[in-house]
């Protein structure tokens, strides 16, 4: 059921996903396709904010902030997985893999290499603070408009 808390959480985490995606795209090597990363992470943030943070309001601000951090971690994981699959498909179209199993193993290797690029203090701090704020915003909206 749509609520104000879900709407605010979805919008907050969509904005956070877009900003995080743009910051992360700056860390990628030159020539890596990044045009889709910002909007894709915004879409993942929108869905995760609606389903995770917006659905768990009403338990207090501390619980909402921890839920916000959980939402950010989930958003980052899903975004990295989706982007790794996207890059794997691009590489598979160029016949860079010998078979489907090697391509699937390539997804996990890509995710690990991209996770290392994500572990920059600026990005991690922005995601942590954004998760805390996003959780607080959803809790505030849940209390304001019941």
């Amino acid at each position: 059921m749509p609520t104000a808390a879900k709407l605010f959480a979805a919008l907050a985490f969509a904005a956070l996903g877009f900003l995080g995606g743009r910051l992360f795209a700056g860390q990628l090597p030159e020539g890596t396709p990044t045009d889709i990363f910002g909007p894709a992470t915004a879409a993942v943030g929108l869905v995760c904010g609606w389903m995770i943070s917006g659905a768990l309001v009403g338990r207090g601000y501390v619980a909402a902030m921890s839920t916000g951090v959980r939402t950010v971690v989930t958003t980052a994981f899903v975004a990295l997985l989706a982007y790794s699959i996207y890059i794997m498909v691009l590489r598979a179209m160029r016949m860079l893999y010998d078979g489907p199993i090697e391509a699937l193993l390539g997804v996990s290797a890509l995710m690990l290499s991209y996770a290392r690029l994500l572990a920059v203090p600026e990005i991690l701090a922005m995601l942590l603070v954004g998760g805390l704020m996003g959780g607080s915003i959803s809790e505030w909206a849940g209390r304001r408009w019941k």
Side-chain angles (χ1 to χ4, degrees):
M1 178 171 170
T3 62
K6 287 183 178 182
L7 174 67
F8 274 75
L11 293 177
F13 287 103
L16 184 63
F18 183 80
L19 293 175
R22 295 313 313 155
L23 275 176
F24 177 72
Q27 300 293 323
L28 292 173
E30 189 71 30
T32 306
T34 60
D35 53 343
I36 195 169
F37 202 73
T41 54
V44 170
L46 183 97
V47 171
C48 288
W50 183 277
M51 295 181 73
I52 298 170
S53 186
L56 297 175
V57 297
R59 299 181 301 150
Y61 280 99
V62 175
M65 286 190 261
S66 69
T67 302
V69 172
R70 182 173 111 185
T71 305
V72 164
V73 170
T74 304
T75 300
F77 177 80
V78 171
L80 284 178
L81 177 64
Y83 190 66
S84 297
I85 291 171
Y86 172 71
I87 295 297
M88 181 271 299
V89 168
L90 291 180
R91 289 181 178 182
M93 296 299 232
R94 289 190 235 137
M95 303 299 235
L96 297 178
Y97 297 112
D98 290 334
I101 300 299
E102 185 180 337
L104 290 175
L105 291 174
V107 170
S108 61
L110 285 169
M111 274 189 73
L112 285 174
S113 67
Y114 292 146
R116 287 188 197 111
L117 293 176
L118 184 67
V120 175
E122 295 86 19
I123 295 175
L124 292 177
M126 192 265 310
L127 292 177
L128 176 67
V129 171
L132 295 173
M133 289 175 56
S136 297
I137 288 170
S138 63
E139 181 68 25
W140 172 81
R143 289 178 184 219
R144 175 86 169 95
W145 293 288
K146 287 189 177 194

